[in-house]
Amino acid sequence: MGAGPVGLAAAAHLVDRGLEPLVLEAGPAAGTAVREWAHVRLFSPWAEVTDPAAEKLLAPTGWTRPDATTYPTGGDWAERYLQPLADALGDRVRYGATVTGVARAGRDRIVDAGRDRQPFTVHVRSADGREERIAARAVIDASGTWSQPGPLGADGLPALGEATAADHISYRVPDLRDARVRARYAGRRTAVVGSGASAFTALAALADLAEEEPGTHAVWILRRDLTGSTYGGGEADRLPARGALGLRAKAAVEGGRASAVTAFRTQAVERDADRLVLVAEDGRRLDPVDEVIVLTGLRPELAFLSEVRLGLDERLEAPVALAPLIDPNVHSCGTVRPHGVRELSHPEKDLYLVGMKSYGRAPTFLALTGYEQVRSIAAALAGDHEAAERVELTLPETGVCGGAGLYDTPEAGDGDGGCCGAPGTLRIGGAGTGC
């Protein structure tokens, strides 16, 4: 499920193993979610965002990888790699196919008898509304988390009034090249809620806009206090573009083009004529803003998997064996080791969540990690258990890490993971956002 980078890589590895994949993509093209941030540049170069089995499948088509040392935008990644890969897979990829449910044929999640001997039944709705069921030996869910952004409310639920203020709230980094988007923020006061690379990106972009459009100002809302690593690794970061991003956000605040409000945990959003007022749990009220950009992370959609047996960590919504390896309370970039079928297995045999979906609410995912996941799973499905257990990936150094800790105060960890919260992050106009 999903014709993004990891879903297509899974298909390529299955083909390489002599197995037959069917990729179901809800959108109209490969990399539909990636295309929604087409304006953003990855921090990872081409060498780290293509998969070996995919390149093998692409080779007969005359495809060649772009300069390995250059950095693609999301649009580049989709048009120059993902779509050609999907085209090479041909009829194995179906577009406009939304998965609405997964189960064992004739078995709801309660029934034990003969369960593992039954194929999966995948319920699909096509773009024209037609419904069908597809039988499958195994299911690999690479549908990602893009469709499930975190809310404004600090308790993980929407803030009071968030839904009714939706016309002034966005959950994406704005593409200020678009005239309509630019007009939405030019000359206006915008709250940016979040502490990771996506928030840095929005701050940097709005700071650039402020230089061109008088009256433009960003108010950065942090749920924690400022610490030494709030702005990331800076010049010490081994991903230079990511380090530069944090420095640009810092310069925006110190230069007065943005202001920071710390330890502000939003409970409600209220209308003030055509503007919004954010209210914290402690009763503090901010001056009115025209727009709010909420960049508080992503989370997995699990409703369509309700009839299969998942083993998920109760906090991260990641596979139980994987969760301790990626817990952002403990780990940051550079400390998550490669992993495969063992860590990704569930009580439901031959069902796997991979890519961003496998990380649940954790933000530390790298494309290379996803490619290693599906290599291992394809080997296991082909019966090559030795290859499935073998680690075939050495992750690149990902730079300075400020430690763990997701709560408000320095005592919870001298740093918020901000420098490392989204390795494999993105860049827009010289700035980046997590993916």
Side-chain angles (χ1 to χ4, degrees), residues 155-243:
D155 57 7
L157 298 173
L160 297 176
E162 183 171 348
T164 57
D167 55 332
H168 289 284
I169 300 177
S170 170
Y171 300 86
R172 308 298 187 199
V173 174
D175 181 1
L176 298 180
R177 303 173 307 173
D178 185 313
R180 290 173 299 175
V181 176
R182 184 183 180 91
R184 179 174 180 176
Y185 299 102
R188 300 192 173 207
R189 180 177 169 88
T190 300
V192 177
V193 184
S195 61
S198 296
F200 289 173
T201 299
L203 288 170
L206 291 171
D208 288 345
L209 184 62
E211 292 185 348
E212 303 171 8
E213 298 285 352
T216 304
H217 188 78
V219 182
W220 185 21
I221 311 299
L222 289 151
R223 293 174 178 172
R224 64 207 68 179
D225 293 326
L226 287 173
T227 69
S229 62
T230 295
Y231 295 103
E235 294 180 357
D237 198 318
R238 294 189 185 181
L239 293 178
R242 188 180 63 197

Side-chain angles (χ1 to χ4, degrees), residues 8-25:
L8 292 174
H13 280 279
L14 291 167
V15 169
D16 194 48
R17 288 281 182 174
L19 302 176
E20 189 62 22
L22 174 63
V23 181
L24 302 174
E25 167 58 46

Side-chain angles (χ1 to χ4, degrees), residues 249-276:
K250 183 178 182 180
V253 173
E254 294 181 347
R257 291 169 293 164
S259 53
V261 179
T262 62
F264 190 97
R265 305 181 72 80
T266 307
Q267 181 182 64
V269 54
E270 299 177 354
R271 290 274 188 177
D272 181 359
D274 199 37
R275 307 183 85 194
L276 303 179

Side-chain angles (χ1 to χ4, degrees), residues 6 10 13 51 140-142 319 322 326 337-344 352-359 365-380 388 393:
V6 179
H13 280 279
D51 174 80
I140 299 174
D141 182 357
L322 176 61
I326 62 174
R337 65 178 175 81
H339 51 272
V341 68
R342 181 187 298 272
E343 293 84 359
L344 297 168
Y352 303 98
L353 311 185
V354 299
M356 281 291 295
K357 186 74 170 274
S358 72
Y359 271 45
F365 179 73
L366 280 169
L368 286 176
T369 302
Y371 297 155
E372 173 66 3
Q373 289 178 342
V374 295
R375 181 207 62 77
S376 174
I377 289 169
L393 171 65

Side-chain angles (χ1 to χ4, degrees), residues 1-2 11 14 20-24 91-94 124 134-135 140:
M1 293 180 283
L14 291 167
E20 189 62 22
L22 174 63
V23 181
L24 302 174
D91 292 341
R92 299 182 179 100
V93 181
R94 286 178 50 183
V124 181
I134 298 172
I140 299 174

